Amino acid sequence: MAVWRNPLSASLLLCVLLHTVHVNARPANMSSLKDKPQSSKDENEILPPDHLNGMKLERDGHLNKDFHQEVFLGKELEEFEEDSEPRRNRKKLIEIFTKVDFNNDQSVSAKEMQRWIMEKTEEHFQEATKENKNSFRAVDPDGDGHVTWDEYKVKFLASKGLNEKEIAEKMKKNEDLKLDEETQEVLESLKDRWFQADNPPADQLLNEEEFLSFLHPEHSRGMLKYMVKEIVRDLDQDGDKKLTLSEFISLPVGTVENQQAQDIDDDWVRERKKEFQEVIDADADGIVTMEELEEYMDPMNEHNALNEARQMIAVADENQNRSLELDEILKYSEYFTGSKLMDYARNVHEEF
């Protein structure tokens, strides 16, 4: 489900725009998204992020390529940077191994990894809740504990560069805001999501908890269902509210420009096909229902966590004993941390 970046990540507006205008937001060349200008911090604070830490899919239906690192490292992911000193990273990874190895038998079982994944997912929840407090204050300047849609709309448009006082005055007088079509479409999608986050009895106001659900649907079962509906709506080509393999792996027409892009497309399709067949399609009938997708998306599903643990172990389990030893995790450090350790086995026993 990306760098367990701050949940309110950069380049976020682009992803929201792609998603909310109901286009097939699955670029063939994924690197194209990285070249877009970053949104301002204020804008990121109040917009629902496309990337949600510890979630297997992005909001636009992309696979979260950093999922395994996020659920293995939690908030410590940022410490494993590509240019960090390898010896320091190795020492840190050894420290993590000792924590995952709950029974101290110098190997990590699937159950131990499952327990660790659930702990790291809870960490992400706590981090999102903490950051939501700042986000909520940004849209609730009077501090009354509630935000109307119009109040949020003013702050959103101000983050787009419009004059906040002028916008507020025009809205008060019901004057035409003269917004461009793209901005209007984004607002309509956000408004729909806003009212979905308004818990019954609906009062058209969001408190801090409801605003958290607006930004982070993983904190609310109802909003998680809504997120699943949004993803299915964007990927479902025949309107049956289910996903076939071909729908899940289809690419936009005319996006492959060169061989490099074709190679990226091929890798992208292979990854999605594997995830669809081996994980999402629980009953292996070739169709993914909303219920199956919701179970797959639920970050606190213990059964999913156990399956993830087994898959993560299988990647590095060279001796095929269905558990991980320290040297295996160090050797496959790039999979677990995003950081490739040189001379991974050097002084392992001394450091351990």
Side-chain angles (χ1 to χ4, degrees):
M1 152 169 221
V3 175
W4 228 140
R5 298 165 292 218
N6 185 309
L8 302 168
S9 63
S11 73
L12 154 82
L13 179 59
L14 171 69
C15 296
V16 172
L17 292 177
L18 286 172
H19 179 65
T20 52
V21 296
H22 310 318
V23 298
N24 188 330
R26 292 163 288 168
N29 190 341
M30 302 296 286
S31 63
S32 63
L33 293 180
K34 300 176 182 177
D35 299 329
K36 302 295 181 182
Q38 293 185 346
S39 304
S40 69
K41 185 177 186 297
D42 288 342
E43 189 172 352
N44 289 342
E45 286 178 347
I46 64 173
L47 270 173
D50 179 65
H51 175 83
L52 297 164
N53 291 336
M55 295 285 283
K56 302 196 71 172
L57 286 184
E58 310 282 15
R59 278 183 124 138
D60 57 11
H62 285 122
L63 292 176
N64 176 6
K65 64 182 180 63
D66 297 320
F67 174 76
H68 296 115
Q69 295 167 25
E70 291 170 359
V71 295
F72 183 72
L73 297 177
K75 62 184 180 182
E76 296 175 309
L77 176 61
E78 294 178 359
E79 297 185 21
F80 287 84
E81 300 173 353
E82 291 185 8
D83 56 353
S84 295
E85 205 277 316
R87 186 176 180 84
R88 172 194 166 282
N89 283 352
R90 184 172 61 250
K91 183 178 180 181
K92 186 66 179 178
L93 187 51
I94 291 171
E95 290 174 359
I96 292 173
F97 177 86
T98 62
K99 294 176 182 177
V100 185
D101 180 20
F102 187 69
N103 64 4
N104 298 315
D105 66 350
Q106 298 190 21
S107 70
V108 171
S109 67
K111 281 290 186 181
E112 286 175 320
M113 185 68 84
Q114 176 198 32
R115 170 182 170 274
W116 183 256
I117 288 172
M118 296 298 290
E119 285 185 8
K120 296 298 103 178
T121 300
E122 181 59 34
E123 267 186 21
H124 293 312
F125 271 46
Q126 293 172 2
E127 187 67 18
T129 301
K130 178 181 176 181
E131 292 181 351
N132 182 66
K133 292 183 180 297
N134 295 329
S135 303
F136 189 73
R137 278 197 294 268
V139 296
D140 181 32
D142 59 7
D144 66 355
H146 294 89
V147 180
T148 68
W149 166 250
D150 282 349
E151 286 175 327
Y152 176 81
K153 183 177 178 179
V154 168
K155 291 294 183 182
F156 169 75
L157 292 175
S159 75
K160 299 277 289 180
L162 300 178
N163 184 284
E164 184 171 337
K165 290 184 178 179
E166 289 181 5
I167 290 294
E169 190 63 28
K170 284 185 177 182
M171 288 176 58
K172 190 175 182 180
K173 296 178 180 179
N174 292 318
E175 294 181 6
D176 184 9
L177 299 180
K178 298 180 180 179
L179 303 176
D180 62 81
E181 183 178 353
E182 190 175 56
T183 300
Q184 189 61 50
E185 287 177 338
V186 172
L187 274 173
E188 289 173 2
S189 179
L190 290 175
K191 186 176 183 179
D192 190 21
R193 191 175 299 163
W194 180 273
F195 287 114
Q196 289 290 329
D198 184 10
N199 292 329
D203 55 8
Q204 299 186 13
L205 300 169
L206 295 194
N207 58 28
E208 187 173 316
E209 182 180 350
E210 291 168 329
F211 191 71
L212 175 64
S213 296
F214 172 69
L215 293 182
H216 291 274
E218 73 273 25
H219 287 253
S220 161
R221 193 70 186 186
M223 286 299 290
L224 186 63
K225 288 177 180 289
Y226 180 68
M227 182 179 174
V228 167
K229 288 180 181 178
E230 286 186 304
I231 291 174
V232 171
R233 179 198 63 204
D234 285 351
L235 304 185
D236 179 21
Q237 296 172 8
D238 60 11
D240 65 354
K241 298 183 180 180
K242 300 175 184 178
L243 297 179
T244 62
L245 175 60
S246 62
E247 287 172 331
F248 192 70
I249 68 174
S250 62
L251 289 164
V253 177
T255 49
V256 178
E257 298 177 355
N258 53 48
Q259 186 58 47
Q260 183 180 9
Q262 180 65 62
D263 292 341
I264 293 173
D265 286 345
D266 292 344
D267 290 340
W268 187 83
V269 168
R270 276 194 295 271
E271 289 176 8
R272 290 179 74 84
K273 184 176 182 180
K274 180 178 180 182
E275 195 73 8
F276 183 98
Q277 294 177 326
E278 299 181 10
V279 184
I280 309 178
D281 184 13
D283 58 6
D285 66 350
I287 300 291
V288 166
T289 64
M290 284 191 179
E291 291 73 22
E292 286 177 318
L293 189 57
E294 184 180 332
E295 288 302 304
Y296 168 80
M297 295 284 289
D298 183 1
M300 295 305 291
N301 185 316
E302 293 188 6
H303 178 69
N304 286 352
L306 182 58
N307 284 338
E308 288 300 329
R310 289 168 175 161
Q311 290 180 41
M312 292 170 74
I313 288 173
V315 168
D317 184 20
E318 291 194 336
N319 61 12
Q320 298 295 299
N321 66 350
R322 297 184 181 181
S323 63
L324 292 181
E325 283 69 54
L326 178 59
D327 62 333
E328 292 173 324
I329 284 186
L330 290 172
K331 185 173 182 179
Y332 288 85
S333 64
E334 191 168 14
Y335 173 78
F336 291 100
T337 71
S339 174
K340 190 172 184 178
L341 305 182
M342 303 303 293
D343 301 323
Y344 69 91
R346 184 191 300 169
N347 299 324
V348 165
H349 299 292
E350 288 82 348
E351 293 185 50
F352 187 61

